[in-house]
Every structure is written in structure tokens, then in C-alpha cells.
Amino acid sequence: MAKAKKAKAGAKRVAKKSSRKVVKLAARKPAKANGSKKANGNGLPRPSAKPYGQAGKALEGVKILDFTHVQSGPTCTQLLAWFGADVIKIERPGVGDITRGQLRDVPNADSLYFTMLNHNKRSITVDSKNPKGKEIIERLIKYCDVLVENFAPGALDRMGFTWEHIHKLNPRMIVASVKGFGPGPYEDCKVYENVAQCTGGAASTTGFREGPPLVTGAQIGDSGTGLHLALGIVSALYQRNRTGRGQKVLAAMQDGVLNLCRVKLRDQQRLRHGPLTEYSQYGEGVPFGDAVPRAGNDSGGGQPGWILKCKGWETDPDAYIYFITQAPVWEAICDVIGEPGWKTDPEFATPKARLPKLKQIFARIEEWTTTKTKFEVMEICNARDIPVGPILSMREIAEDESLRKTGTVVEVDHPTRGKYLTVGNPIKLSDSVSEVKRSPLLGEHTEEVLTKVLGYSAKELAELKSSGAITPEEKKKAAA
Ligand code: CAO
């Protein structure tokens, strides 16, 4: 009792002392300017005094259980890893992500397909259908913040990891999935890149009018959806700061592609009000149907553009330039190509007058571009603010010094395949600088994660090895 009294009196003294301190500090505060807001608001910590780039990474402390394979899911988790998340990739013992062995260029080494999608991650092999393997995954679920997966619809449930089960184990866990389709008639379908390009509106609007639908080389279905998913995950993490609970995040590949084809859905609705005058088929007098047509190399925006031949096109398949006849620089274009009369000629002087003659105009510009290399055209036009873009081959991109300097193209060393080039983080944060670390070998971090992260003892590890939960069949026998 006496002790409690003493403590109370002590607490009072401290409170008095600290309230004096508050008064003193307040007295020192400069007078608030009229209507000014608090300098340090929203409960944020004081701005770090560390130099930019040395205050840790954006997603440091975020733990990702990476149950992804092939391209879409791994693209997402690689981005999160570049931003500093600890990404632990679960792979099937002895087999791993199927892409390790696909499109192999170096015998017995992980393919570029795999290495270029799995940087900065740890790999742990676990058989998710083995009871002890399930136990490991359950421990990982309790430990991690986010589970990312892109299995065929229902596969995660068939393993026993339903949302309800995961949420019971860890109510804070965010479960993020890539699927081919959202809820609806196709929700159970398996989907690869080109299926998504076709069902998301990209293929029907890509290619030439006279030809079949085309898919594009940019992996908008896989990598594009991975990007969408990454944003969903970061948003869910942010919301969790407020709610304390996890949620499901779904990025359907069809939806992701459609999001990137947004301008074509715009055009679909414009069709109701007349022809799409910026499409070259308008100038060619070809009537429009009831769906957005393929537009060849027409620009998707309001400034007409086309791909034109440059010097050397006869032998170099990439000696081309994208040329945009942007209205504000029309006069400069006329001067460059030697048609000064078009500046004032009412047939050419206004964007509206030019629309029906785009074919003729681009043919005339091409007469000029074929006298120059694509880089000369780039230099001449950019000096006059005319927007153009050389068609760069992958060889040219691989050799581009400026892309190397920014870390967009990076050379990485790998223990079994040697040096290779990859695309680094395309998103640059000034206070969270990405380093690209090689992809893990299959199961390289199994023991490390089991013992150091999940706390398995050496004895338990040996038991796991002989149970087949972390080793392939043949090794399981050897370990027994
Ligand atoms: N241990 C044990 N089993 C494992 C395992 C592990 N560590 N990892 C995966 N498996 C099992 C799965 O449980 C599944 O088994 P069941 O069919 O018995 O449930 C099996 O491996 C195959 O998984 P899957 O069906 O996802 O793989 P698939 O090769 O047949 O299909 C794909 C591939 C991409 C078409 C399909 O996963 C899919 O549609 N994913 C969603 C969309 C997507 O991301 N597509 C982009 C792919 S990139 O081009």
C-alpha cells in the first residue's frame, strides 16, 4: 500500500515536470502564420535525416509468401522484392517453377525465362500436398504479410489453403491472386498470355485491317497483370494499417489487358456518333463496321502518326521510325520535308483538312525519312520539337548505354549460367534504390528459411528431409 502511494506521488511529480516542459517548449514555438497548417501532420514520423537512398527500402519489413509460377505472378513478386520486401518463393521439390527448364539456352542452368522473373527472391522447396509440407506452409502463412499465387482456378483450395483457412491462421494476411478471368462464365479456365490478349480486346484491335488479329510482343497479359496485382497488394497493405485485417486481391488477366486497351473501348462508343476520323481507313473512304477495327500503325490518340521507312530499310528490318504529325509543329514538319507551301495551303494547313489525306501526307514524309537513318531523323526532328521514335531492335536496346546507366538494363552474374542481361526495376524511387540480385537456385534457401525464419531444429529438419516434404522422391530415400 505504502509502495503504491509512493509510486502515485512519483508519477504526479513526473507529470508536473513534463507539463512544465511542454509549456516551456510551447513558449519557444514561433508564432503560427495566419491560416498555416501543422508542419508535421497525419501522425507521420519526422522526416528522416539520412541521405536519400540510405533510409532503407520502401517495402522493407514486408514478408511475401510467393506461391507464383510462370510469368504473371513472378513479375509481381519480383517488383515487390525490388522495393525491399522479403520474398520467399515456394517451389515443388526437384521440379520448381516450370520456367526453370523452359526455353533453356545453357544446358543444366536455369533458363533466362526463370532468372529474369525471379530476382531478389529466396527459394524454398516444399511439397504442398505432403502433410509436413502443409505444416511448413501454415507456419509461413502465420509469418508472412502477403500470399501471392497464380495457380489455375481452384488449385490453392485443392491444396487445402482456402481463404477461410488462411484467414483463420493469419487474419492480417493479404491473399493476392492472378487468374485468367474474373467471376463469370470463364472463371474456371486456365489462361496464358495470348489468351488474355485475345479476350481483353488487344488482339482484335491490333494488326492491319486486311489481316487477321495480332498479338503483341509486349506481355501485357502476364507482366501487365503482375503490375496491376502489385499495386493491389501495396494498396491492401496500406489499408491494413487502418483496419488491421487482410483481404483478397484479384487481378484478372482479361481485366488487366482491357485496362490497357481503354482507348479502344473509348473508340467503340465514339463509333455510335460517326466514323473515327483519325483512323486512316476514314481517309481511305473505307466504311466502319459495328466494332472498333484494327488500325495498323495509326496512333491511338488525337495526333495522327505512322511507321515510316528510313535509310537502309531494304536490308535492316528495324530501319523505321514512328512519325507523329503533331498539330502544333505542323509548320516545322513542312519545312523539314521540303513542303513549305503546305503551311498555308487550305488543303493541308489545318488538322481537320489533313485527316482525309493522311496516307498522302505520310507517303510524302516517308520520301524524306528514307533519305536519313532513323537516328538522323530523330535528331533533326527532336531539334524542332517534332515527336518521333526510332524502332529500336532488341540488340540496340541491349547495347544502349543510357538504359544501362539508369539500371533499366542490368548485367547480372549467375553461378551456373554466368553473366546475362536483364531488365531492372522500371519504376525509380529516389529514396528506395533497387539493386538487382540474381535469382535463387532451386531450394537454395530451404534450410535457411526453415531454421532461421521458422525456427525448425536440426532434428526436425532431418525429419522433414526424410518425409518428402522438402526433397524430391529420390533424395527422400537417400535421406532416410
Ligand atoms: N507442391 C505440390 N504441388 C504443387 C506445388 C507444390 N509446391 N506447386 C504447384 N503444385 C500443383 C498444384 O497444386 C496443381 O495441382 P492440382 O491440379 O492437383 O490442383 C498443379 O501443381 C498444377 O498447377 P496449375 O494448374 O496452376 O499449373 P498448370 O501448369 O496446369 O497451369 C497455368 C498453368 C498458368 C495455365 C495456370 O496456373 C493458370 O491458369 N494460372 C492463372 C492464370 C495465370 O497466371 N496465367 C499466366 C501464366 S504466365 O503465361
Side-chain angles (χ1 to χ4, degrees), residues 51-120:
Y52 271 77
Q54 288 176 33
K57 298 256 160 69
L59 295 182
E60 213 171 87
V62 175
K63 291 160 292 201
I64 310 278
L65 195 171
D66 180 5
F67 228 154
T68 68
H69 65 157
V70 204
Q71 186 182 166
S72 62
T75 303
C76 166
T77 49
Q78 177 170 259
L79 274 166
L80 302 175
W82 277 332
F83 288 130
D86 180 10
V87 175
I88 300 171
K89 179 169 173 120
I90 298 186
E91 298 184 78
R92 206 196 304 229
V95 184
D97 187 327
I98 193 169
T99 58
R100 284 190 186 264
Q102 280 181 332
L103 313 176
R104 261 199 179 133
D105 53 335
V106 177
N108 303 320
D110 287 332
S111 70
L112 286 167
Y113 195 1
F114 177 83
T115 55
M116 290 177 73
L117 288 163
N118 290 285
H119 293 107
N120 298 45

Side-chain angles (χ1 to χ4, degrees), residues 67 69-73 90-93 98 113 125-130 137 149-156 158-159 178-180 189-193 219 221-222 253:
F67 228 154
H69 65 157
V70 204
Q71 186 182 166
S72 62
I90 298 186
E91 298 184 78
R92 206 196 304 229
I98 193 169
Y113 195 1
T125 49
V126 183
D127 181 348
S128 62
K129 290 176 178 161
N130 175 299
I137 295 173
E149 64 92 21
N150 68 311
F151 291 123
L156 198 65
R158 285 195 291 278
M159 286 180 195
V178 170
K179 294 288 166 260
C189 301
K190 285 186 177 178
V191 168
Y192 282 104
E193 171 69 45
Q219 304 287 282
D222 279 339
M253 294 168 75

Side-chain angles (χ1 to χ4, degrees), residues 175-349:
V175 179
S177 306
V178 170
K179 294 288 166 260
F181 297 94
Y186 303 128
E187 65 187 310
D188 292 329
C189 301
K190 285 186 177 178
V191 168
Y192 282 104
E193 171 69 45
N194 289 344
V195 175
Q197 288 200 23
C198 293
T199 56
S204 68
T205 53
T206 304
F208 289 91
R209 208 173 53 244
E210 315 77 36
L214 275 187
V215 293
T216 115
Q219 304 287 282
I220 55 176
D222 279 339
S223 289
T225 308
L227 253 165
H228 282 94
L229 190 70
L231 178 59
I233 290 171
V234 174
S235 303
L237 280 167
Y238 192 75
Q239 187 175 4
R240 195 182 67 165
N241 288 340
R242 231 179 36 246
T243 62
R245 65 183 183 204
Q247 61 183 301
K248 290 188 265 183
V249 180
L250 170 68
M253 294 168 75
Q254 181 185 38
D255 301 8
V257 170
L258 178 59
N259 185 35
L260 300 175
C261 286
R262 174 175 295 266
V263 297
K264 297 296 178 180
L265 187 58
R266 172 200 68 192
D267 292 350
Q268 180 62 39
Q269 296 168 86
R270 287 172 60 222
L271 262 181
R272 259 190 271 136
H273 305 282
L276 307 171
T277 51
E278 78 284 12
Y279 281 51
S280 30
Q281 90 174 62
Y282 168 71
E284 291 163 32
V286 178
F288 284 80
D290 59 6
V292 174
R294 290 184 269 291
N297 288 319
D298 284 332
S299 124
Q303 307 286 352
W306 198 256
I307 289 186
L308 305 176
K309 291 170 184 160
C310 291
K311 196 176 188 173
W313 67 273
E314 299 89 339
T315 51
D316 177 356
D318 297 310
Y320 287 83
I321 192 131
Y322 199 91
F323 200 107
I324 299 176
T325 55
Q326 193 205 11
V329 288
W330 174 245
E331 297 199 350
I333 295 170
C334 296
D335 287 336
V336 160
I337 64 171
E339 290 290 351
W342 281 3
K343 290 194 267 188
T344 48
D345 183 342
E347 288 288 303
F348 295 94

